Amino acid sequence: MNTQQQANPPRLLLVEDDTTSQAFFHTTLMALPATVDTAASLADARQLAQANRHALWLVDANLPDGTGPELLRYLRTRQAGVPALAHTADTSPETRQALLQAGFDRVLLKPLAGSALLASVREALAGAAAPTAEAPDWDENAALQALNGQGAHVIALRELFMTELPGARAAVSSALQQHDTGALRAQLHRLQASCGFVGASRLGSAVRQLHQAPDSDMARRQFDAAVNALLHH
């Protein structure tokens, strides 16, 4: 941990209604080090989210006054691009899949070792997307690396990508308007892969944020701005 990270620890939101589990999570997370806001209900978590900006959310799948996915939808409307980890004692594959489909980046099974918790949180924080505005429209090095240095292939794929981009944007817009989560995630998944191949860095970052926060007006605006930047490049 470097000096700057120690001086400015990340602020985390921990949502857990069980007192013993909350104490375990809080004590473990403080060792990162981190500033940890704790909530025992959906209502408390909303209040903390209104008063603070967080670098990561750690949310119980089931709360006394709601569910983890319900809270996550609310949190995404306030901040885009924040990594979200769910935790649950339910080991069923169906529950894990449902939480991932709801937008959580990872599902942690309780009980878990402190070392496993810290490793998951550190990985999520390290992998958090940089703000979209910092990414270039086209990243030549990334495209060449993805296509083994074949410049001609980059040019050809970009031409195809640009031809299909208006249709992809229309499909994303339609899925958002119809609140079709499955269609939206499928379209964003395909678009994310294409951005990686052609080095569409800014759009790729915007796609990640929209995937994480489909209800966020900011994420939608960033997506539209990134598409327009490429179409009018």
Side-chain angles (χ1 to χ4, degrees), residues 49-105:
Q50 290 170 4
N52 304 281
R53 294 183 66 81
H54 295 99
L56 180 139
W57 302 312
L58 189 63
V59 179
D60 196 353
N62 295 292
L63 298 166
D65 53 348
T67 67
E70 181 182 356
L71 175 58
L72 181 61
R73 287 192 294 271
Y74 172 79
L75 294 173
R76 292 293 189 206
T77 66
R78 300 196 61 83
Q79 276 187 264
V82 177
L85 308 183
H87 50 93
T88 178
D90 187 341
T91 61
S92 68
E94 294 79 11
T95 294
R96 179 180 182 277
Q97 186 62 29
L99 290 169
L100 292 174
Q101 289 180 345
F104 285 99
D105 299 292

Coordinates of all heavy atoms in Angstrom, one line a residue, residues 49-105:
A49 N -25.8 6.7 1.0 CA -25.4 7.0 -0.4 C -25.8 8.4 -0.8 O -25.1 9.0 -1.7 CB -26.2 6.0 -1.3
Q50 N -26.8 9.0 -0.2 CA -27.1 10.4 -0.5 C -26.1 11.4 0.1 O -25.9 12.4 -0.5 CB -28.5 10.7 0.1 CG -29.7 10.0 -0.6 CD -31.0 10.1 0.1 OE1 -31.1 10.8 1.1 NE2 -32.0 9.5 -0.4
A51 N -25.5 11.0 1.2 CA -24.6 11.8 1.9 C -23.1 11.7 1.5 O -22.3 12.5 1.7 CB -24.7 11.6 3.4
N52 N -22.8 10.5 0.8 CA -21.4 10.2 0.5 C -21.3 9.6 -0.9 O -22.2 9.1 -1.4 CB -20.8 9.2 1.5 CG -21.0 9.7 3.0 OD1 -20.2 10.5 3.4 ND2 -22.0 9.2 3.7
R53 N -20.1 9.7 -1.4 CA -19.7 9.0 -2.6 C -18.8 7.8 -2.3 O -17.9 8.0 -1.5 CB -19.0 9.9 -3.7 CG -19.9 11.0 -4.2 CD -19.2 11.8 -5.2 NE -18.9 11.1 -6.4 CZ -19.8 10.8 -7.4 NH1 -21.0 11.2 -7.3 NH2 -19.4 10.1 -8.5
H54 N -19.0 6.7 -2.8 CA -18.3 5.5 -2.4 C -17.5 4.9 -3.6 O -17.9 5.0 -4.7 CB -19.3 4.4 -1.9 CG -20.0 4.8 -0.6 ND1 -21.2 5.3 -0.6 CD2 -19.5 4.9 0.7 CE1 -21.6 5.6 0.6 NE2 -20.6 5.3 1.4
A55 N -16.4 4.3 -3.2 CA -15.5 3.6 -4.2 C -16.0 2.2 -4.5 O -15.6 1.6 -5.5 CB -14.1 3.6 -3.7
L56 N -16.7 1.6 -3.6 CA -17.2 0.2 -3.7 C -18.4 0.0 -2.8 O -18.5 0.6 -1.7 CB -16.1 -0.8 -3.4 CG -16.4 -2.2 -3.5 CD1 -15.2 -3.0 -4.1 CD2 -16.7 -2.8 -2.1
W57 N -19.3 -0.8 -3.3 CA -20.5 -1.2 -2.5 C -20.4 -2.7 -2.2 O -20.2 -3.5 -3.1 CB -21.8 -1.0 -3.3 CG -22.0 0.5 -3.7 CD1 -21.8 1.6 -2.9 CD2 -22.4 1.0 -5.0 NE1 -22.1 2.7 -3.7 CE2 -22.4 2.4 -4.9 CE3 -22.7 0.3 -6.2 CZ2 -22.8 3.1 -6.0 CZ3 -23.0 1.1 -7.3 CH2 -23.1 2.5 -7.2
L58 N -20.7 -3.1 -1.0 CA -20.7 -4.5 -0.5 C -22.0 -4.7 0.1 O -22.3 -4.3 1.2 CB -19.5 -4.7 0.5 CG -19.3 -6.2 0.9 CD1 -18.8 -7.0 -0.3 CD2 -18.2 -6.2 1.9
V59 N -22.9 -5.4 -0.6 CA -24.3 -5.4 -0.3 C -24.8 -6.9 0.0 O -24.6 -7.8 -0.8 CB -25.1 -4.8 -1.5 CG1 -26.6 -4.8 -1.2 CG2 -24.7 -3.4 -1.8
D60 N -25.6 -7.0 1.1 CA -26.2 -8.2 1.4 C -27.4 -8.5 0.4 O -28.1 -7.6 0.0 CB -26.8 -8.2 2.8 CG -27.2 -9.5 3.4 OD1 -27.1 -10.5 2.6 OD2 -27.5 -9.6 4.6
A61 N -27.5 -9.8 0.0 CA -28.5 -10.1 -1.0 C -29.9 -9.9 -0.5 O -30.9 -9.6 -1.2 CB -28.3 -11.5 -1.5
N62 N -30.1 -10.1 0.9 CA -31.5 -10.0 1.5 C -31.4 -9.0 2.7 O -30.6 -9.2 3.5 CB -32.0 -11.3 1.9 CG -32.2 -12.3 0.7 OD1 -33.1 -12.0 -0.1 ND2 -31.4 -13.3 0.6
L63 N -32.3 -8.0 2.7 CA -32.3 -7.1 3.7 C -33.7 -7.0 4.4 O -34.7 -7.5 3.8 CB -32.0 -5.7 3.1 CG -30.6 -5.6 2.5 CD1 -30.5 -4.3 1.7 CD2 -29.5 -5.6 3.6
P64 N -33.8 -6.5 5.6 CA -35.1 -6.5 6.2 C -36.2 -5.7 5.5 O -37.4 -6.1 5.6 CB -34.8 -5.8 7.6 CG -33.4 -5.9 7.8 CD -32.8 -5.9 6.4
D65 N -35.8 -4.7 4.7 CA -36.8 -3.9 4.0 C -36.6 -3.9 2.5 O -37.1 -3.0 1.8 CB -36.7 -2.4 4.5 CG -35.3 -1.9 4.4 OD1 -34.4 -2.6 4.2 OD2 -35.2 -0.6 4.6
G66 N -36.0 -4.9 2.0 CA -35.8 -5.0 0.5 C -34.8 -6.1 0.2 O -34.4 -7.0 1.0
T67 N -34.2 -5.9 -1.0 CA -33.2 -6.9 -1.5 C -32.0 -6.2 -2.0 O -32.0 -5.0 -2.3 CB -33.8 -7.7 -2.7 OG1 -34.0 -6.9 -3.8 CG2 -35.1 -8.4 -2.3
G68 N -30.9 -6.9 -2.1 CA -29.7 -6.4 -2.6 C -29.8 -5.8 -4.0 O -29.4 -4.7 -4.3
P69 N -30.4 -6.5 -5.0 CA -30.6 -6.0 -6.3 C -31.5 -4.7 -6.3 O -31.2 -3.8 -7.1 CB -31.4 -7.1 -7.0 CG -30.8 -8.4 -6.4 CD -30.7 -8.0 -4.9
E70 N -32.5 -4.7 -5.5 CA -33.3 -3.4 -5.4 C -32.4 -2.2 -5.0 O -32.5 -1.1 -5.5 CB -34.4 -3.7 -4.4 CG -35.4 -2.5 -4.2 CD -36.4 -2.7 -3.2 OE1 -36.5 -3.8 -2.7 OE2 -37.2 -1.8 -3.0
L71 N -31.6 -2.5 -4.0 CA -30.7 -1.4 -3.5 C -29.7 -1.0 -4.6 O -29.4 0.2 -4.8 CB -30.0 -1.8 -2.2 CG -28.9 -0.8 -1.7 CD1 -29.5 0.5 -1.4 CD2 -28.2 -1.4 -0.5
L72 N -29.2 -2.0 -5.3 CA -28.2 -1.7 -6.3 C -28.7 -0.9 -7.4 O -28.1 0.0 -7.9 CB -27.6 -3.1 -6.9 CG -26.6 -2.9 -8.0 CD1 -25.3 -2.2 -7.4 CD2 -26.2 -4.3 -8.6
R73 N -30.0 -1.1 -7.8 CA -30.6 -0.3 -8.8 C -30.7 1.2 -8.4 O -30.4 2.1 -9.2 CB -32.0 -0.8 -9.1 CG -32.0 -2.1 -9.9 CD -33.4 -2.4 -10.5 NE -34.4 -2.7 -9.4 CZ -34.6 -3.9 -8.9 NH1 -33.9 -4.9 -9.4 NH2 -35.5 -4.1 -8.0
Y74 N -31.0 1.4 -7.1 CA -31.0 2.8 -6.6 C -29.6 3.4 -6.6 O -29.4 4.5 -7.0 CB -31.5 2.8 -5.2 CG -31.4 4.1 -4.5 CD1 -32.3 5.2 -4.8 CD2 -30.4 4.4 -3.6 CE1 -32.2 6.4 -4.2 CE2 -30.2 5.6 -3.0 CZ -31.1 6.6 -3.3 OH -31.0 7.9 -2.7
L75 N -28.6 2.6 -6.1 CA -27.2 3.1 -6.0 C -26.7 3.5 -7.4 O -26.0 4.5 -7.6 CB -26.3 2.1 -5.4 CG -26.6 1.8 -3.9 CD1 -25.7 0.6 -3.4 CD2 -26.4 3.0 -3.0
R76 N -27.0 2.7 -8.4 CA -26.6 3.0 -9.8 C -27.1 4.3 -10.3 O -26.5 4.9 -11.2 CB -27.0 1.8 -10.7 CG -26.3 0.5 -10.4 CD -24.8 0.6 -10.7 NE -24.2 -0.8 -10.7 CZ -22.9 -1.0 -10.4 NH1 -22.1 0.0 -10.2 NH2 -22.4 -2.2 -10.4
T77 N -28.3 4.7 -9.8 CA -28.8 6.0 -10.3 C -28.0 7.2 -9.7 O -28.1 8.3 -10.3 CB -30.3 6.2 -9.9 OG1 -30.4 6.2 -8.5 CG2 -31.1 5.0 -10.5
R78 N -27.3 7.0 -8.7 CA -26.5 8.0 -8.0 C -25.1 8.1 -8.4 O -24.5 9.1 -8.5 CB -26.6 7.9 -6.5 CG -28.0 7.9 -5.9 CD -28.0 8.2 -4.5 NE -27.4 9.5 -4.1 CZ -28.0 10.6 -4.2 NH1 -29.3 10.7 -4.6 NH2 -27.4 11.7 -3.9
Q79 N -24.5 6.9 -8.7 CA -23.1 6.8 -9.2 C -22.9 5.7 -10.2 O -23.4 4.6 -10.0 CB -22.2 6.5 -8.0 CG -21.7 7.6 -7.1 CD -20.7 7.2 -6.1 OE1 -21.1 6.9 -4.9 NE2 -19.5 7.1 -6.5
A80 N -22.3 6.1 -11.3 CA -22.0 5.1 -12.3 C -20.5 4.6 -12.2 O -19.7 5.3 -11.7 CB -22.2 5.7 -13.7
G81 N -20.3 3.3 -12.6 CA -18.9 2.8 -12.6 C -18.4 2.4 -11.3 O -17.2 2.1 -11.2
V82 N -19.2 2.3 -10.3 CA -18.8 1.8 -8.9 C -18.8 0.3 -8.9 O -19.9 -0.3 -9.2 CB -19.6 2.4 -7.8 CG1 -19.2 1.9 -6.5 CG2 -19.5 3.9 -7.9
P83 N -17.8 -0.4 -8.5 CA -17.9 -1.9 -8.4 C -18.8 -2.3 -7.3 O -18.8 -1.6 -6.2 CB -16.4 -2.3 -8.1 CG -15.7 -1.1 -7.6 CD -16.4 0.1 -8.3
A84 N -19.6 -3.4 -7.5 CA -20.5 -3.8 -6.5 C -20.4 -5.3 -6.3 O -20.4 -6.1 -7.2 CB -22.0 -3.5 -7.0
L85 N -20.2 -5.7 -5.0 CA -20.1 -7.1 -4.6 C -21.3 -7.4 -3.7 O -21.6 -6.7 -2.8 CB -18.8 -7.3 -3.8 CG -17.5 -6.8 -4.4 CD1 -16.3 -7.2 -3.5 CD2 -17.3 -7.3 -5.8
A86 N -21.9 -8.6 -4.1 CA -23.0 -9.1 -3.3 C -22.4 -10.1 -2.3 O -21.5 -10.8 -2.6 CB -24.1 -9.7 -4.2
H87 N -23.1 -10.3 -1.2 CA -22.7 -11.4 -0.3 C -24.0 -12.0 0.2 O -25.0 -11.4 0.5 CB -21.8 -10.9 0.9 CG -22.3 -9.7 1.6 ND1 -23.1 -9.8 2.8 CD2 -22.2 -8.4 1.4 CE1 -23.4 -8.6 3.2 NE2 -22.8 -7.7 2.4
T88 N -23.9 -13.4 0.3 CA -25.0 -14.2 0.7 C -24.6 -15.5 1.3 O -23.5 -16.0 1.0 CB -25.9 -14.4 -0.5 OG1 -27.0 -15.2 -0.2 CG2 -25.2 -15.1 -1.7
A89 N -25.5 -16.1 2.1 CA -25.2 -17.4 2.6 C -25.9 -18.5 1.7 O -25.7 -19.7 2.0 CB -25.7 -17.5 4.0
D90 N -26.6 -18.1 0.7 CA -27.3 -19.0 -0.2 C -26.3 -19.5 -1.2 O -25.9 -18.7 -2.1 CB -28.5 -18.2 -0.8 CG -29.4 -19.2 -1.7 OD1 -28.9 -20.3 -2.0 OD2 -30.5 -18.8 -2.0
T91 N -26.0 -20.7 -1.2 CA -25.0 -21.3 -2.1 C -25.6 -21.8 -3.4 O -24.9 -22.3 -4.3 CB -24.3 -22.5 -1.5 OG1 -25.2 -23.5 -1.1 CG2 -23.6 -22.0 -0.2
S92 N -26.9 -21.6 -3.7 CA -27.5 -22.1 -4.9 C -27.0 -21.4 -6.1 O -26.8 -20.2 -6.1 CB -29.0 -22.0 -4.8 OG -29.4 -20.7 -4.9
P93 N -26.8 -22.1 -7.2 CA -26.3 -21.5 -8.5 C -27.4 -20.5 -9.0 O -27.0 -19.5 -9.6 CB -26.2 -22.7 -9.5 CG -26.0 -23.9 -8.6 CD -26.8 -23.6 -7.4
E94 N -28.6 -20.8 -8.7 CA -29.7 -19.9 -9.2 C -29.6 -18.5 -8.6 O -29.7 -17.4 -9.2 CB -31.1 -20.5 -8.9 CG -31.4 -21.7 -9.7 CD -30.7 -23.0 -9.1 OE1 -30.2 -22.9 -8.0 OE2 -30.8 -24.0 -9.8
T95 N -29.3 -18.5 -7.3 CA -29.1 -17.2 -6.6 C -27.9 -16.4 -7.1 O -28.0 -15.2 -7.3 CB -29.0 -17.4 -5.0 OG1 -30.2 -18.0 -4.5 CG2 -28.7 -16.1 -4.3
R96 N -26.8 -17.1 -7.2 CA -25.6 -16.5 -7.7 C -25.9 -15.9 -9.1 O -25.5 -14.7 -9.4 CB -24.4 -17.5 -7.8 CG -23.2 -16.9 -8.4 CD -22.0 -17.9 -8.4 NE -20.8 -17.3 -8.9 CZ -20.5 -17.1 -10.2 NH1 -21.4 -17.5 -11.1 NH2 -19.3 -16.6 -10.5
Q97 N -26.5 -16.6 -10.0 CA -26.8 -16.2 -11.4 C -27.7 -15.0 -11.3 O -27.5 -14.0 -12.1 CB -27.4 -17.3 -12.2 CG -27.6 -16.9 -13.7 CD -26.3 -16.6 -14.4 OE1 -25.2 -17.1 -14.0 NE2 -26.3 -15.7 -15.4
A98 N -28.7 -15.0 -10.5 CA -29.6 -13.9 -10.4 C -28.9 -12.6 -9.9 O -29.2 -11.5 -10.4 CB -30.8 -14.2 -9.4
L99 N -28.0 -12.7 -9.0 CA -27.3 -11.6 -8.5 C -26.4 -11.0 -9.5 O -26.2 -9.8 -9.7 CB -26.5 -11.9 -7.2 CG -27.4 -12.2 -6.0 CD1 -26.5 -12.8 -4.9 CD2 -28.0 -10.9 -5.5
L100 N -25.7 -11.9 -10.3 CA -24.8 -11.4 -11.4 C -25.7 -10.7 -12.4 O -25.3 -9.7 -13.0 CB -24.0 -12.5 -11.9 CG -23.0 -13.2 -11.0 CD1 -22.4 -14.4 -11.7 CD2 -21.9 -12.1 -10.7
Q101 N -26.8 -11.3 -12.8 CA -27.7 -10.7 -13.8 C -28.2 -9.3 -13.3 O -28.5 -8.4 -14.1 CB -28.8 -11.6 -14.1 CG -28.4 -12.8 -14.9 CD -29.5 -13.8 -15.3 OE1 -30.6 -13.7 -14.7 NE2 -29.3 -14.7 -16.2
A102 N -28.4 -9.2 -12.0 CA -28.8 -7.9 -11.4 C -27.8 -6.8 -11.5 O -28.1 -5.6 -11.3 CB -29.3 -8.1 -10.0
G103 N -26.6 -7.2 -11.8 CA -25.5 -6.2 -12.0 C -24.4 -6.2 -11.1 O -23.5 -5.4 -11.1
F104 N -24.4 -7.2 -10.1 CA -23.2 -7.3 -9.2 C -22.0 -7.8 -10.0 O -22.2 -8.7 -10.8 CB -23.6 -8.2 -8.0 CG -24.5 -7.5 -7.0 CD1 -25.9 -7.8 -7.0 CD2 -24.0 -6.6 -6.1 CE1 -26.7 -7.2 -6.1 CE2 -24.8 -6.0 -5.2 CZ -26.2 -6.3 -5.2
D105 N -20.9 -7.3 -9.6 CA -19.6 -7.8 -10.3 C -19.2 -9.2 -9.8 O -18.5 -9.9 -10.5 CB -18.5 -6.8 -10.1 CG -18.9 -5.4 -10.7 OD1 -19.0 -5.3 -11.9 OD2 -19.1 -4.5 -9.9

